[in-house]
């Protein structure tokens, strides 16, 4: 079953066209990596999938579990089980992490027809996830991301992912700005969340994250299109030869005709 | 034209009032009232031609026929007080209805020996000389029309006297309640003297029934003695149709520590003045404030901190949330006199505008005459952070709830600084009720 199907996706920011016909099909339970140089459209793709207003889709469609994703509000996408781990998690002073997570979790549960968790059930759920991911529970009493180091912010993203139990995770450059220890911690967090029920799309500039989160498929995004797809070896080839060689030798994929 | 007898008639017939008061009050108080009404007749109410009142037109106060609230005595029950009491607050609670002490609905509480928390009428009988020495000493009634009016027309006052070297654990709550069927003017008055080396906590509350039009014209004098500490709160929950004008005059002695939180939730037209005199070395003065306003409401906060001596610090953080066509005014003066070397003064003013039509006039005003000082000020005016809004929505939280969460967080920054738990909890509840702001 397809979790995500992107067909001929075109998008722009202000007047600048960034995505120029992205095609991608992701089966349930798979881990896909999307790699690409700066300016290739990686973050635009992640933000379009999450529903950020400033990106305008000019053509194409995105199906999530068979539903038209682009018609959904950002919060409804999240409630339907889509989770984007932000490249730059936002600091929100004054909003307590625990309160925030509870509001988010109960919004997701309500959408699924489940009753709200009470304070005790919530704390049990959250503490269990914190334990699995080796997250310091004192983080819960702090304001969302406020004063967190880069590594703590990324860990907090993975922690939220664990708490909300999404079916599709989009990880937008989760490795950027992390030193190798922080990278290992974050990657092992993601690995504990891998499951046949959960689909993961890892967006990254560098191959090194993929040493720790081993993908089933690798795609190369360049000039707003996916110019090559392959297995995990493709990441190693990129590491060795650089994006330039692949860009030079690849024919753009033809856009599917309707 | 600044008039005149005709204008003070709007607040009642002074001659009749003064004659009645003279029967029960000492002559010094009678003379003070007389001087104050003469001064008021010279001054009138301020107009927007005066720099200090530029953005705050009090014309509507000047043209309303107020009945002196003091002339009436409406029976008020404890039930009317409860919504404004702080559940779980353990300490004396003095209730003043339309400026007059209401012992029947007040709550006594045991206090350390020597501490007095009482009314002017009561203390005149026992410590008249002390009140004579202090009441009106720390504020010049000549300052503007409202202070003169208060001095002429106050019917009673709350008096808090804390002798030397005492720690008063129980928070002292002074609750000024307005209740009138027709527009009425009340002039609540407060005198607080904290003796050398003592520590206390107190709340001034101002409240009235929703929808009623009335004027509260409050005047508070506070003196914090050498090495003493006062943790002070002003919680204003007037009717959103009411006028609320208040001024607080503060004097700090050597090494005194004073903290206040001024929370404005009500009032159609609100003007709060705080004048702090850091009159000795080594004092610490913290002025924090939060105001919420929607509809056509106006909230004006004027603070003035006078660093007169060396080694004092002042910290000031005011936050406002304005919706609809609400108008905020913030003016923060800091004087550093030539003698006040090593002053450390920090002022921050932040405003969240929720609508295109809401406005704020904010003005820091630093006048520094000493050369070895640290003074900073900053003002930010902004809308809800779109990035934060998107982040919350991307986790499944709906747009309205996410907005509310962010507005609440902005305001909570002040509320969480409140040290008295029942007050903090009540205000957290009030915030949840108030936000998002409606008319």
């Amino acid at each position: 079953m397809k979790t995500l199907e992107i067909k001929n996706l075109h998008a722009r920011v202000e007047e600048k066209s960034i995505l120029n016909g992205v095609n991608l099909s992701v089966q349930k339970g798979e881990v896909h990596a999307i790699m690409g140089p700066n300016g290739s459209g990686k973050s635009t793709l992640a933000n379009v999938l999450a529903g950020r207003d400033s990106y305008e889709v000019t053509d194409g469609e995105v199906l999530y579990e068979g539903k038209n994703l682009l018609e959904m509000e950002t919060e409804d996408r999240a409630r339907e089980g889509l989770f984007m781990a932000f490249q730059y998690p936002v600091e929100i002073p004054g909003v307590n992490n625990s309160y925030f997570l509870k509001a988010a979790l109960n919004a997701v549960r309500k959408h699924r027809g489940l009753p709200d968790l009470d304070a005790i059930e919530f704390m049990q759920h959250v503490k269990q996830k914190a334990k699995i991911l080796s997250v310091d529970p004192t983080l819960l009493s702090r304001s969302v991301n406020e004063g967190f180091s880069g590594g703590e912010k990324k860990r907090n993203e993975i922690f939220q992912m664990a708490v909300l139990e999404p079916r599709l995770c989009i990880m937008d450059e989760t490795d950027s700005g992390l030193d190798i220890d922080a990278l290992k911690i974050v990657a092992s967090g993601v690995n504990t969340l891998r499951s046949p029920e959960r689909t993961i799309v890892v967006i990254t500039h560098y191959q090194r994250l993929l040493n720790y989160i081993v993908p089933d498929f690798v795609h190369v995004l360049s000039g707003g299109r996916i110019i090559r797809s392959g297995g995990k070896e493709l990441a190693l080839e990129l590491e060795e030869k650089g994006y330039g060689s692949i860009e030079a030798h690849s024919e753009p994929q033809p856009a599917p005709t309707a | 034209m600044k008039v005149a007898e005709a204008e003070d008639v709007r607040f009642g017939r002074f001659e009749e009032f003064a004659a009645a008061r003279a029967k029960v009050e000492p002559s010094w108080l009678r003379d003070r009232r007389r001087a104050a009404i003469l001064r008021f007749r010279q001054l009138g109410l301020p107009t927007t031609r005066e720099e200090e009142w530029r953005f705050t037109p009090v014309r509507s106060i000047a043209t309303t026929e107020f009945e002196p609230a003091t002339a009436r005595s409406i029976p008020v029950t404890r039930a009317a007080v409860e919504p404004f009491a702080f559940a779980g607050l353990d300490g004396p609670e003095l209730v003043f209805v339309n400026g007059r002490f209401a012992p029947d609905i007040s709550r006594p509480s045991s206090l350390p020996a020597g501490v007095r928390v009482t009314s002017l009428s009561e203390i005149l009988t026992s410590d008249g000389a002390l009140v004579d020495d202090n009441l009106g000493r720390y504020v010049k009634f000549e300052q503007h029309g409202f202070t003169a009016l208060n001095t002429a027309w106050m019917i009673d006052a709350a008096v808090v006297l804390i002798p030397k070297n005492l720690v008063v654990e129980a928070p002292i709550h002074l609750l000024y309640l307005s209740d009138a069927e027709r527009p009425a003017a009340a002039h609540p008055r407060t005198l607080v003297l904290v003796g050398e080396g003592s520590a206390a906590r107190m709340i001034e509350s101002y409240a009235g029934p929703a929808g009623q039009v009335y004027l509260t014209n409050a005047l508070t004098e506070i003196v914090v003695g050498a090495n003493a500490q006062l943790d002070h709160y002003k919680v204003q929950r007037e009717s959103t149709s009411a006028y609320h004008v208040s001024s607080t005059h503060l004097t700090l002695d050597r090494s005194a520590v004073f903290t206040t939180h001024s929370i404005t939730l009500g009032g159609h037209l609100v003007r709060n003045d705080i004048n702090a005199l850091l009159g000795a070395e080594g004092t610490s003065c913290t002025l924090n404030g939060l105001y919420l306003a929607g509809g056509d409401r106006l909230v004006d906060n004027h603070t003035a901190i006078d660093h007169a001596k060396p080694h004092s610090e002042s910290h000031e953080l005011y936050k406002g949330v304005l919706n609809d066509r609400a108008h905020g005014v913030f003016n923060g003066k800091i004087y550093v006199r030539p003698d006040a070397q090593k002053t450390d003064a920090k002022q921050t003013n932040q405003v969240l505008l929720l609508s295109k039509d809401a406005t704020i006039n904010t003005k820091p005003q630093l006048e520094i005459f000493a050369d070895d000082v640290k003074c900073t000020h900053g003002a930010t005016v902004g809308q809800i952070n779109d990035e934060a809004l998107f982040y919350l929505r991307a986790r499944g939280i709906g747009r309205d709830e996410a907005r509310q969460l962010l507005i609440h967080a902005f305001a909570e920054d002040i509320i969480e600084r409140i040290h008295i738990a029942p007050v903090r909890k009540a205000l957290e509840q009030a915030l949840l009720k108030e936000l998002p702001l409606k008319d």
Side-chain angles (χ1 to χ4, degrees), chain A residues 200-221:
Chain A
I200 300 177
V201 176
V202 178
I203 293 174
T204 181
H205 186 94
Y206 301 105
Q207 178 270 337
R208 64 172 193 172
L209 176 66
L210 305 180
N211 290 337
Y212 302 99
I213 303 174
V214 180
D216 301 308
F217 298 95
V218 174
H219 311 275
V220 180
L221 187 68

Side-chain angles (χ1 to χ4, degrees), chain A residues 50-52 73-75 78-79 83-84 86 90 92-95 99-100 103-104 107 144-145 157 160 164, chain B residues 385-401 405-406 408-410 412-413 416 432:
Chain A
R52 198 187 282 267
E73 293 286 345
T74 295
E75 51 268 41
R79 292 166 185 172
F83 182 96
M84 178 168 85
F86 281 58
V90 184
I92 313 183
V95 176
Y99 185 90
F100 157 64
V144 177
N145 293 322
E157 295 292 289
Q160 290 173 20
L164 298 176
Chain B
N385 182 336
D386 283 340
E387 287 294 307
L389 192 64
F390 178 67
Y391 190 79
L392 295 174
R393 293 177 64 208
R395 296 297 175 255
I397 299 171
R399 187 191 291 268
D400 290 347
E401 192 186 351
L405 207 56
L406 292 171
H408 194 265
F410 178 84
E412 177 67 19
D413 184 25
E416 71 186 11
L432 288 176

